[in-house]
Structures are given as C-alpha cells and as structure tokens.
Amino acid sequence: MGGKTKYIFVTGGVVSSLGKGIAASSIGLLLKQRGLNVVLQKFDPYLNVDPGTMSPFQHGEVYVTDDGAETDLDLGHYERFIDRDLSQRSNVTTGQIYETVINREREGGYLGRTVQVVPHVTDEIKARIRLASENGENVDVVITEIGGTTGDIEGLPFLEAVRQFRLNHGREKCLNIHLTLVPYIKAARELKTKPTQHSVKALLEIGIQPDILICRTERPLNQDIRGKIALFCNVDIREVIEARDVPSIYQVPLQFRKEGLDDIICDKLHLTCPPPDMAEWERMVEKIYSMTESVEIAMCGKYVHLHDAYKSIVESFTHAGVANDVHVNVRWVDTEKVEQDGPETHLAGVQGVLVPGGFGDRGIEGKVMAVRYARENNIPFLGICLGLQVAVIEFARNVAGLKGANSSEFDQDSPHPVIDLMLEQRSRTMMGGTMRLGSYPCRITEGSLAHRLYGAFDTDERHRHRFEVNNAYRKALTDAGMVVSGVSPDGELVEMMELPDRPFFIGCQFHPELKSRPNRAHPLFKGLVGAAKVFKREHDTGQGEQSVIHGDDWREER
Ligand code: GLN
C-alpha cells in the first residue's frame, strides 16, 4: 500500500439524494487542481454484483469504465470532474464483497474458521479501499463515497470498515466528511439543525466522529446556525461547510472553495500543496450561466421518466453546449407515445434528435419513426448504440427496400435481420458482465463526417452491447447510400454509420457520452449541438429566445 496515501470517506445522512457523488467529485477536483494525484471510489451497499443487470428505472444509467466494469452513475461524475479514467476498482458493491468472501470460504481460504461480517467482510472492504490506491502510481488521496444513508442496515459493514481503517492506518491519514441536510421550515421561517444532529449521533454510535460537515441548504447558513451545528456535532465552526442549492452542478467545487473546504482538508491531512488553479473551471461555469442562445434536442427513449437513466448524455449536452456557446434544452420524448400519436406531435420544432441506448422491444417502432422523421426533415441526428441499430433498421426498411428489416433482438423471424447477435454472444447464457464491454479501438473512414468531427483516423470508445450490424447486409446498405464511417481495426464490426446526403446524420455503436468532459466535449455531441444551432438559424421562426439552464439541480433524483 502507498505509505503516503491519504483517505477521505464521504458519508451521507438525513435523506438520500443530497448529492454525495457531486460532493465527492468536487472535493476530488479541488485536490487535483492543487496538484494532488486523486482517485475516487464508490461503495454500493446492494447485493447485486454490479448494476449491469439492474433496470435503469431502479438504478439510473449504468456507467461503463475503460476496463469494462458496469458501474454506478456516480463514477460518471467522478470521471467528468477529475478528468481521469477510473477502473473497476472504483466501484465496489456488497455483492462483490460477499462473492469474494464466499468463494474464498469455498476454497478453504479461511482454514476452518467461522466466517463472519466482522472481521471477514470488513477485512475485504478494507482491502478494496487499499486496492484503490494501488494502481501503479503514487496516489496521494483516495476519496471513498459510501452509498446509502447513515442508519441503513446494509451500510453498517462499510461504516464499521471505515472506522477500523482509520484505527489501523492512523488518524492523521484519514478524514470523515459527512453530508447532511439543513432544511428550511417555511412555517417557522427557520433553518433546522436537528436532523443533522441526529445523523451525526447515528455516526457516533458506530464510532465515527465526522471531521467536516457539508450542509445542503436552500438558504445561507448564518453564524448562529453554524455555531449550533458545530457545538452539537463536535466540530469546529469552520468545519461546517455550507452547500447551498445552485443551478449547475459544475458550480459546486467553486462553492466549496469559497467555504475553504479544500484548505481545511489539506490542513487536517497534512498535505502541503499550493491553492487550486480553478481558472479554466470558473470560465466554464461563467459560460454556462451567461449563454443566451438555446437549441432544443429530442431525447427519444423509453426511460425518459427517469432522467438519471440518461445522466451522461444530459451532461454531454452541457459540455457540447459550452463548446458551441448555446444552451441545450432536452425535450424528453417517450417513444411509446410516438407510436400512438405519430412523430410530428412529439418532434415538431426540435433542432436535433437523439436516440440513446436501450434494451428490449418496447417503444422500438416509435424510435424507428423518430429516426425517419429526422432523416426526412434533415434534422440533425445522433444515434447511440441501440440508436445506431434503429437508424440502420429504418434505413434498411425505408431506403434500401429491405421490407421487414429488424434486429434479431426484437424479431427472431425477421426476413432481414440487419442487426444480429455478435458471434461471441451466441453461446452466452449468463446475463451479468457478458456483453461487449469497455474500451475498444475504432478506425475512422477518411472523408467521412466522423473524420471531420474527430479530426483523426483512430479513436477509442466504450461499449456495452450484444448486437451489431449484420455484415451480410453491409453491401446492400452501402449500395443504397449509407456510409460505414467507423469500424473495428479488423474491419469486422461496424462502429459508426452515417448518411452523407443529410446535413448531420450519424450513428455509433459505442457510447460517446461516457467520454465527454466539461472542458472537452465529445466530438459527436459537439457536432450534433453545432448542427442543431445551424439548423435553428436556418429554420428560425423569429420567436424570442427562451433559455433554460438545464442540469438544474445537483441533487440526484433516484
Ligand atoms: N440492445 C442492444 C444490444 O445489446 C443495444 C444496447 C445498448 O444500446 N447499450 O446490442
């Protein structure tokens, strides 16, 4: 273990959805900008081995790392804030811990001892914390976010492990930061500190004294309130940090900086480093708040009632908006409704159409209709994963004349399975972790739109799918005008397709949203939003701008 590594544990109290992930990410960014080498990690207290088999309605988006781990969406925030590619070590679930412990028991690894939560499960949790710092580099700080809310039964082993970890590794090397809620009670016109006091009490019962409290609040915390929290929760007044609601999540690190949070952390962990360089980040946030122009892009999916299911896409729109100096307003379009009412009702007036990834046949025909509407009306279009597959199906049916074309995921008897199961997927019977997952190289076709957008012949992108464009139909499709603009290095897998006779129509088999960063918008998103801006100018109805800042609130809605 890196002897110099320091550890920060972020817990949450009172209620869920306070934005622990954003808080941990913001701390990570501030420390990184002070020159420290930072890794973030999330512990999820559920028994699923990973969220890969969970419904997006339950869990939100599944975030995929370069090394192919299917992880919690908070890892997306981590990567976007600290601009570092994380690995499977950064997301640990109770399911993984138990899997390891039980497998070790079956192998006889415990030499006949009774296997128990303490010490065996807690030992494994501690090993995973250390593992996060062992990535071949000198990691200065590991920030571990503990999922769930203090007081949850399933979170107890993690908190016990955190308590022991600090005891084992030295008090001065570890820090506990607790995120709580200070609600404003309208009738009393007062902020209330009691929930925070109770939640700290719950932590103290487990043996954890938080060093710093981050208090989510609608209103400013005055000195009286801060003093009261400090007194009852046994911390210094400057260790009570105000985290007021802000319109953009990207402002949170700047808020924390103003409150002196990173200075306190560095003092307490004896980290000597210069103040953070936040100039570029500040410029980005200023831009988010000052843009006046806007475009509207339709997100045509089936999980549209839970925006968390498309978290990274929404963030990628923000990044691409900053790059194009325009706000992106998302119109959430449920493709089952498109099937009922026709595309015009739901898509009229948008300047872009995005069909995101997905599984299962519900709403598929609505997606096909949305793609057709975009294609026929020259509306800028981006299809991601399932979105590419649907674009190929639409093109096959309506342009290439392949009647009944479909994906074998939705129609086993289609006369033209233009999308089919990948060869290596045919023999799989297990669901978890068996898709084509993680980063793979992609070769880009010279002279294509993709080539213009990327400005390169090669890229690496992250994947999560079982099906692919059926090579038996590649010729029929390209003869009809579709261009294959990205392929795997052996040429076998279609990674990107486009329609060169449209202003902007492109599909990708990978997930570009997983690699977009605040100051480095992904080329495909940047291209889509740029094309939407041009489309709007060309089709301007002369109506005034109505700009809305999206990504409005940094609370996670689960
Ligand atoms: N269901 C499709 C497949 O498995 C698409 C997956 C996705 O969009 N992530 O290939």
Side-chain angles (χ1 to χ4, degrees):
M1 191 205 45
K4 278 188 21 259
T5 308
K6 306 284 166 73
Y7 299 87
I8 298 175
F9 300 101
V10 180
T11 51
V14 185
V15 289
S16 62
S17 309
L18 288 180
K20 258 190 319 222
I22 302 293
S25 304
S26 300
I27 294 167
L29 172 67
L30 288 170
L31 297 183
K32 187 197 159 198
Q33 293 308 102
R34 297 183 75 128
L36 298 167
N37 188 351
V38 183
V39 167
L40 282 129
Q41 177 184 47
K42 166 108 193 247
F43 283 155
D44 276 312
Y46 47 73
L47 280 166
N48 304 64
V49 171
D50 61 43
T53 52
M54 282 156 103
S55 158
F57 283 122
Q58 290 259 314
H59 187 271
E61 163 186 275
V62 173
Y63 193 82
V64 180
T65 54
D66 270 346
D67 62 354
E70 297 175 277
T71 72
D72 185 79
L73 53 72
D74 274 329
L75 266 83
H77 292 310
Y78 300 169
E79 288 200 348
R80 287 187 283 271
F81 275 64
I82 67 166
D83 195 10
R84 165 179 202 149
D85 296 330
L86 297 168
S87 75
Q88 54 183 354
R89 294 177 179 194
S90 282
N91 195 194
V92 179
T93 68
T94 298
Q96 285 171 28
I97 299 286
Y98 274 83
E99 192 182 39
T100 308
V101 169
I102 291 170
N103 285 340
R104 192 177 294 138
E105 186 273 335
R106 293 289 84 184
E107 287 159 7
Y110 292 106
L111 307 172
R113 282 191 287 270
T114 309
V115 183
Q116 293 176 299
V117 172
V118 182
H120 303 106
V121 166
T122 47
D123 278 354
E124 185 54 33
I125 295 171
K126 287 189 283 179
R128 299 296 182 108
I129 301 169
R130 285 189 293 269
L131 206 59
S133 66
E134 290 165 6
N135 67 351
E137 292 171 35
N138 234 336
V139 175
D140 296 308
V141 183
V142 175
I143 302 174
T144 303
E145 176 193 346
I146 317 289
T149 308
T150 304
D152 294 349
I153 292 174
E154 59 258 46
L156 285 175
F158 289 106
L159 294 175
E160 168 61 13
V162 166
R163 184 191 69 79
Q164 292 177 17
F165 194 93
R166 193 164 191 178
L167 208 63
N168 302 150
H169 294 268
R171 302 206 75 77
E172 66 301 337
K173 276 190 166 183
C174 303
L175 211 58
N176 288 306
I177 299 183
H178 191 55
L179 179 66
T180 76
L181 177 69
V182 180
Y184 180 75
I185 304 299
K186 278 206 188 83
R189 297 216 198 119
E190 251 180 0
L191 287 165
K192 292 291 181 188
T193 66
K194 199 71 87 188
T196 297
Q197 296 179 37
H198 279 297
S199 135
V200 169
K201 222 183 220 167
L203 269 184
L204 284 168
E205 273 170 25
I206 302 164
I208 294 175
Q209 163 68 54
D211 301 277
I212 297 169
L213 295 172
I214 299 179
C215 305
R216 275 305 296 271
T217 170
E218 285 173 45
R219 312 262 166 144
L221 298 184
N222 62 30
Q223 284 307 102
D224 276 0
I225 295 279
R226 287 177 195 247
K228 201 165 163 190
I229 295 173
L231 178 67
F232 286 107
C233 299
N234 202 22
V235 295
D236 196 273
I237 191 160
R238 71 178 199 126
E239 291 152 4
V240 177
I241 304 293
E242 174 190 293
R244 208 169 344 147
D245 298 354
V246 283
S248 166
I249 53 171
Y250 298 109
Q251 196 191 331
V252 176
L254 303 177
Q255 250 186 333
F256 285 180
R257 171 80 191 128
K258 260 200 204 129
E259 288 282 302
L261 177 58
D262 52 306
D263 291 333
I264 299 170
I265 291 173
C266 289
D267 279 358
K268 285 185 163 285
L269 287 176
H270 310 289
L271 291 160
T272 354
C273 46
D277 176 6
M278 298 299 288
E280 199 188 344
W281 196 271
E282 268 164 21
R283 274 198 298 279
M284 182 222 3
V285 174
E286 259 164 43
K287 197 149 178 205
I288 290 177
Y289 288 148
S290 64
M291 295 185 298
T292 52
E293 214 180 315
S294 71
V295 291
E296 190 175 21
I297 296 184
M299 177 94 87
C300 305
K302 74 168 175 185
Y303 313 114
V304 291
H305 305 295
L306 182 77
H307 296 183
D308 266 4
Y310 303 111
K311 193 78 181 171
S312 292
I313 295 181
V314 173
E315 294 310 320
S316 302
F317 279 145
T318 303
H319 311 158
V322 169
N324 283 290
D325 224 336
V326 64
H327 270 302
V328 179
N329 297 325
V330 178
R331 187 189 294 183
W332 299 91
V333 175
D334 179 344
T335 53
E336 279 188 291
K337 298 251 167 65
V338 175
E339 284 168 15
Q340 287 163 21
D341 314 328
E344 180 73 26
T345 316
H346 296 280
L347 296 174
V350 295
Q351 290 90 40
V353 170
L354 188 143
V355 177
F359 297 83
D361 62 358
R362 202 152 50 79
I364 282 295
E365 289 307 318
K367 286 183 183 153
V368 175
M369 290 159 99
V371 173
R372 182 173 193 167
Y373 184 85
R375 183 176 57 77
E376 292 183 342
N377 292 289
N378 282 323
I379 303 171
F381 169 81
L382 173 60
I384 296 177
C385 204
L386 179 66
L388 167 139
Q389 298 175 357
V390 171
V392 169
I393 293 168
E394 193 279 327
F395 185 83
R397 287 184 193 170
N398 301 325
V399 181
L402 298 166
K403 231 175 139 234
N406 214 329
S407 162
S408 46
E409 181 178 4
F410 317 125
D411 181 4
Q412 302 270 349
D413 306 317
S414 165
H416 298 296
V418 289
I419 306 294
D420 204 2
L421 211 51
M422 278 182 282
L423 211 54
E424 69 265 30
Q425 289 292 337
R426 301 224 163 130
S427 52
R428 303 241 198 238
T429 50
M430 297 283 276
M431 291 299 278
T434 56
M435 281 186 264
R436 181 172 180 239
L437 287 166
S439 180
Y440 288 93
C442 168
R443 234 176 41 213
I444 300 171
T445 310
E446 185 164 9
S448 61
L449 169 64
H451 187 217
R452 286 201 297 285
L453 295 172
Y454 278 88
F457 287 109
D458 294 287
T459 185
D460 292 285
E461 296 283 359
R462 298 183 192 169
H463 297 69
R464 182 170 185 255
H465 64 119
R466 284 183 215 284
F467 293 81
E468 60 163 323
V469 175
N470 186 343
N471 283 337
Y473 287 94
R474 227 198 255 192
K475 184 162 184 318
L477 294 167
T478 50
D479 284 352
M482 188 186 105
V483 163
V484 172
S485 52
V487 286
S488 55
D490 63 3
E492 280 303 305
L493 300 176
V494 172
E495 292 281 17
M496 282 191 269
M497 60 74 79
E498 56 192 66
L499 301 182
D501 60 350
R502 304 287 128 175
F504 189 99
F505 190 108
I506 191 162
C508 52
Q509 188 57 76
F510 48 79
H511 290 272
E513 72 274 22
L514 304 177
K515 297 211 19 174
S516 186
R517 301 287 178 261
N519 284 320
R520 209 159 8 88
H522 190 284
L524 295 181
F525 278 93
K526 191 170 160 189
L528 174 69
V529 173
K533 196 171 163 181
V534 171
F535 184 90
K536 184 167 189 180
R537 285 187 182 162
E538 284 171 356
H539 296 77
D540 198 0
T541 54
Q543 284 167 358
E545 289 290 339
Q546 261 196 351
S547 179
V548 180
I549 296 169
H550 84 256
D552 307 327
D553 195 328
W554 66 293
R555 267 170 298 196
E556 298 301 315
E557 290 161 25
R558 291 277 168 94

